[in-house]
Amino acid sequence: NGENPRNISLFGQEMNQGTWAICKMNMFLHSVFSADIKKGDTIRNPNHLKGGELMTFDRVIANPPFSLAKWGKEEADNDSFGRFPYGTPPKDTGDLAFVQHMIASLNAEGVMGVVVPHGVLFRGSSEKEIRKGILGNDLLEAVIGLPSKLFYGTSIPAAMLIINKKKSKDRKNKVIFINSDLEFEEGKNQNKLRDENIEMIVSTFDLYEDIKRYSKVVSMDEIRENDYNLNIRRYADTSPPPEQFDVRAILQGGIPVSEIEDEYIQETLQGMDVSCVFVKRDSNYYEFKSEIESKEQIKDFLDTDEQAVVGQFERWWDKYKVSLHELDSEVKESEEVMWGYLKELGYE
């Protein structure tokens, strides 16, 4: 933010020796010589202590191991630092143990961000009780759905939890759900978030408002009614609405005007003028221009390379270009040709 980086104090702890060494080297290469990076097991042996108590911080961020087995449940059940007021998770899924350690490491105005697998959002039993406690104390500010194949070592989609110890008055007893699982740049082995994808997430979080099929601000009462289930698609669903089928168009051909003017279709077309591909047959139906003789030619008539737009016109081709009546006629012609061949061969 243009301020003096020397005013920042950085602390970290990592059990994996290789990762710990990379972090130490990273700090050195960025001239952050004061960073205090400890080596050790955060759950069993937290190393950042002051006067025998956990140190607390303004910001805490982490990408802990997903659903770690043998994470230290027995030690957590007897924790002397009071880090697990909402209970401890199952012995084979330690996600919410790390989340609670992070909450305990926040000061009274602290904010944290943590990457978790989606199971953390809806699994039951003790994990549900932990979610219930976090929500009951109004600590959760945002749940952000991320694309699959974003992180090394796992192809599953992940989510981010934003915890805020001092939520602003207008955000109290609310949680914003942001579903950005479709917003990414596809890679061969790994996907990545583009600058515009990150900007969309950040601006939506800052504005804290609903965006159709992307984000939803949900009251704590609604979350309670849903039994503390934080499944993102329950609140901000990116799934398209059911596809429309016009029986008359399927039987006789033509693309229904009502389907083209559908709100979801218009979002996909991004306001494109469909006359570049269609001509009006009558007040209710379009049809493809006569110059377009195959599906592969459609993209030559479009003013965009956007795959979602091209794909929508190609779906209309498959769906309505050849009507059932035309197919029926073609079948009859084929039958006549076939019987002609059979007669020539002496079959009656």
Side-chain angles (χ1 to χ4, degrees), residues 13 21 45 50 60-61 67 69 116 118 125 137 163 169 203 233 247 271 301 303 331 348:
Q13 183 168 340
N45 186 28
K50 190 172 183 179
V60 179
I61 58 173
S67 302
V116 296
H118 278 251
S125 192
N137 285 342
I163 300 280
K169 187 176 180 181
S203 62
R233 289 204 167 183
V247 175
F301 286 77
D303 242 355
V331 169
E348 293 293 338

Side-chain angles (χ1 to χ4, degrees), residues 112-139:
M112 64 175 259
V114 58
V115 180
V116 296
H118 278 251
V120 167
L121 306 177
F122 55 78
R123 288 192 297 244
S125 192
S126 57
E127 292 184 283
K128 174 188 162 184
E129 291 305 310
I130 295 169
R131 287 196 306 274
K132 185 176 178 180
I134 292 171
L135 291 161
N137 285 342
D138 200 15
L139 297 175

